[in-house]
Amino acid sequence: MGRGKSTPQDEAMRTIVSSNIKKYLDIKNKKAVDLQKNTGISQSSISEYINGKSLPNPGNLQKIADFFGVLREDIDPRHSEDWEEPGELPDVIQRITDISMQLEEPRQKIVLDTASSQLEEQEKAKRAVKPKPKVTPLFDINSPLTDEELQEAVDEAVAFDGVPLTDREKELYKHLLRETWEEDHGRG
């Protein structure tokens, strides 16, 4: 009987388990053949685990964890006490996973490095965003503007890019503000 259709979560988990096995092979300076010889797991099964084609059953998972001297959840996070089954993956994440699974390991590492770099930039940008201070009106819009209020308003003004206005721009805005106020309040 053939295998049923994989869910996106199954595919993602195969990628995670595959990456973890590759990581521990690298850390322990071992090869797939060492894993096969020391665990008694068939070479075809080891190959499927490493290539993200299938997941180890609980018995084989324990053998792999014992070989590396790690916990089962270090290979397959579903065996962690605090594991929660994820919902359906967003389409873009699924597409990234599908493509990544087809890449050779050095190229998978580039994808991982790029994603890590993007996350770091995103976190840095979030920290850099400062809330705008609450703006209090400089004058009562319904009362005639005094010269001092008008001067204060243009002194506080900045261009869209945050650059202070030039004296010429300030004079122009003062003129426009006074003219607009007088038109709106029937004084012109």
Side-chain angles (χ1 to χ4, degrees):
M1 182 155 80
R3 295 181 186 169
K5 182 164 172 39
S6 294
T7 66
Q9 293 84 352
D10 291 338
E11 291 178 20
M13 192 51 59
R14 286 197 307 263
T15 300
I16 291 168
V17 170
S18 167
S19 294
N20 286 337
I21 292 172
K22 290 174 186 176
K23 174 179 77 173
Y24 286 110
L25 284 171
D26 188 49
I27 289 170
K28 303 289 186 175
N29 198 24
K30 299 288 183 183
K31 302 225 178 287
V33 68
D34 299 320
L35 182 59
Q36 186 270 319
K37 285 180 183 174
N38 287 283
T39 61
I41 301 171
S42 72
Q43 181 57 42
S44 62
S45 290
I46 297 289
S47 178
E48 285 194 357
Y49 304 155
I50 289 173
N51 292 313
K53 303 289 184 200
S54 68
L55 290 166
N57 62 40
N60 284 353
L61 178 62
Q62 188 63 57
K63 290 176 185 177
I64 293 168
D66 290 345
F67 173 75
F68 290 127
V70 298
L71 299 172
R72 288 184 312 169
E73 63 245 33
D74 293 328
I75 304 296
D76 185 337
R78 295 176 299 170
H79 292 271
S80 171
E81 286 181 14
D82 56 353
W83 171 257
E84 290 183 26
E85 193 68 37
E88 190 168 317
L89 296 173
D91 186 51
V92 71
I93 299 297
Q94 184 58 52
R95 289 176 33 220
I96 291 168
T97 301
D98 292 345
I99 292 169
S100 296
M101 287 177 60
Q102 296 174 49
L103 296 173
E104 294 173 355
E105 186 176 358
R107 294 177 186 272
Q108 288 175 340
K109 287 181 179 180
I110 292 170
V111 172
L112 177 61
D113 290 344
T114 302
S116 297
S117 172
Q118 287 296 308
L119 178 60
E120 201 173 289
E121 284 182 31
Q122 176 179 292
E123 294 303 317
K124 186 177 179 182
K126 283 181 183 177
R127 289 189 302 269
V129 173
K130 302 278 189 267
K132 289 188 175 187
K134 186 175 179 182
V135 177
T136 53
L138 296 173
F139 49 85
D140 179 2
I141 196 70
N142 295 316
S143 299
L145 293 173
T146 66
D147 288 336
E148 294 82 26
E149 288 171 329
L150 194 54
Q151 187 62 49
E152 191 176 350
V154 294
D155 285 344
E156 294 291 323
V158 291
F160 286 112
D161 58 4
V163 175
L165 301 175
T166 64
D167 289 340
R168 182 168 161 41
E169 291 168 325
K170 287 179 183 180
E171 287 304 314
L172 175 62
Y173 287 125
K174 265 193 340 191
H175 174 76
L176 290 171
L177 282 171
R178 182 164 307 284
E179 195 173 89
T180 302
W181 189 91
E182 289 174 355
E183 284 176 10
D184 288 347
H185 293 84
R187 308 210 198 307

